Amino acid sequence: MLLREVLSPEMLAGCRQVFEQFIETEIKKNGDAQAAGNDSVPTFDEGPRPEWENGETIHGSWHVPWIIRHGGQSPTSTVLSGLITSWAWPVIEEICQSKDIVVMLGLCLGRHNIDQPLLVGAHQDATAVNPEVPLSIWIPLQEVAPLRDSGLGFVVPSPDHVLPAEPNNDVGSSYFMDQLGKMWIPHYQAGDLTIHSKFSPHFTTGYGTMADRYSLEIRLWARDDAFLKYYDPSIRIGRLNGFPVITETKCSPGVRAHGFVASTAVLAMQTINTMPAPQEIRESEAPSPQGIMATLRDAARRLVPGANR
């Protein structure tokens, strides 16, 4: 599902700039970038992981959300705050069939991608990311145009089951080639996002333009005891008098993300306090993960008449 104009392009431009400054000052190890440093990481929050001590790969780098900070700002905190207060949040609640949502921060990622030529291939999150978490939200922090920028494409319609995977978690080139007529490569404007299920075959596009792309992957679902093992760290969002509110945060002493979780909750609540009166959407029980694709399609038809796919 592609949702248009969910987030402010101006807000996303600022988030991209913060992400870019983080890459320049914390990940790239050369010249002025090395000397500049990043003094904005909250006390007790961890810094970049050892795999990036020698800089990025030719394809870029990827980081858990509490790592990505510069000048006291966090792109993930800003985007989450904007998402919770956007018109798309009731759509997300409808997809999850719940108003009690947990953002599983440990399964979220921020990516800096450098557009390289890529071979054909696709994967499902059920095998490449996590076999349990039902959906992912992909948010580019900028316009992503096919043939110019590395983006996210899909095979449509999606199956409702796990496909046989190769050792690298791809569904295999033969499957991909058989589905060439079913490729969907959206043109994302700044502010657009896609939501896909764990069964949706998708792929990173690559054209060799060397263009930089910054994006966030958000993973959330209705609060469910089956997912408790993914709730550290996490932020829980419910409704109070019809408004979304942060009802709980979790970050154990061994997880070095306390400053990020606290600042994200504060920023989200500050943003929520400026919201107009919400439109209520019916309460219902959480669907089984196996029915997520049908739920996505039904939600799109009911709530977003113009939604793609």
Side-chain angles (χ1 to χ4, degrees):
M1 179 192 296
L2 171 63
L3 303 184
R4 298 284 193 190
E5 299 180 2
V6 174
L7 299 167
S8 160
E10 293 76 18
M11 177 266 285
L12 291 176
C15 290
R16 175 193 164 129
Q17 184 177 28
V18 172
F19 200 155
E20 185 174 17
Q21 290 170 332
F22 161 78
I23 294 296
E24 292 294 329
T25 59
E26 287 296 297
I27 305 302
K28 293 185 178 179
K29 304 295 184 181
N30 52 57
D32 294 337
Q34 186 178 20
N38 182 359
D39 58 1
S40 64
V41 177
T43 304
F44 305 123
D45 281 16
E46 65 181 316
R49 295 184 173 177
E51 64 188 298
W52 307 114
E53 286 181 353
N54 296 319
E56 296 184 297
T57 72
I58 61 170
H59 298 284
S61 60
W62 47 92
H63 310 273
V64 289
W66 54 90
I67 302 294
I68 308 167
R69 300 185 69 92
H70 186 85
Q73 299 182 66
S74 163
T76 310
S77 297
T78 303
V79 168
L80 278 175
S81 300
L83 182 64
I84 293 167
T85 56
S86 74
W87 66 264
W89 191 250
V91 178
I92 292 169
E93 292 175 323
E94 184 74 8
I95 292 169
C96 296
Q97 294 289 277
S98 175
K99 290 185 173 66
D100 190 2
I101 307 294
V102 177
V103 181
M104 293 167 273
L105 296 168
L107 296 177
C108 299
L109 279 179
R111 292 185 185 266
H112 169 226
N113 184 277
I114 303 170
D115 193 333
Q116 303 284 352
L118 296 177
L119 300 175
V120 297
H123 69 268
Q124 295 173 296
D125 285 347
T127 51
V129 177
N130 187 286
E132 297 179 292
V133 178
L135 62 77
S136 296
I137 302 174
W138 192 75
I139 306 174
L141 303 184
Q142 64 204 80
E143 180 185 9
V144 173
L147 302 180
R148 188 189 71 193
D149 306 297
S150 173
L152 200 65
F154 303 87
V155 179
V156 293
S158 169
D160 288 323
H161 59 275
V162 175
L163 299 169
E166 296 182 346
N168 65 355
N169 292 321
D170 275 6
V171 295
S173 57
S174 59
Y175 171 85
F176 190 89
M177 296 304 293
D178 289 342
Q179 305 296 319
L180 283 179
K182 301 177 181 179
M183 298 296 106
W184 176 45
I185 303 176
H187 184 154
Y188 298 83
Q189 301 293 339
D192 299 343
L193 59 84
T194 50
I195 306 174
H196 63 271
S197 86
K198 66 179 182 179
F199 298 126
S200 175
H202 57 282
F203 50 93
T204 299
T205 59
Y207 309 105
T209 65
M210 302 297 290
D212 294 291
R213 183 257 291 163
Y214 297 86
S215 61
L216 297 177
E217 300 165 22
I218 305 298
R219 295 187 171 91
L220 49 75
W221 191 243
R223 189 187 183 283
D224 188 326
D225 288 345
F227 296 111
L228 282 175
K229 55 183 172 290
Y230 305 122
Y231 288 177
D232 192 8
S234 66
I235 293 175
R236 183 177 172 188
I237 302 101
R239 291 264 176 174
L240 179 63
N241 297 327
F243 289 90
V245 294
I246 306 298
T247 60
E248 184 180 4
T249 63
K250 181 175 178 60
C251 189
S252 68
V255 178
R256 295 171 57 195
H258 291 269
F260 167 80
V261 172
S263 62
T264 299
V266 169
L267 180 60
M269 292 309 299
Q270 289 174 341
T271 307
I272 287 167
N273 286 338
T274 66
M275 288 182 65
Q279 294 181 347
E280 289 298 323
I281 293 180
R282 64 178 180 82
E283 297 277 1
S284 50
E285 296 299 319
S288 67
Q290 290 77 14
I292 183 64
M293 285 310 300
T295 307
L296 279 167
R297 298 184 188 111
D298 289 345
R301 284 193 292 268
R302 286 195 300 272
L303 296 173
V304 194
N308 293 322
R309 306 294 171 182

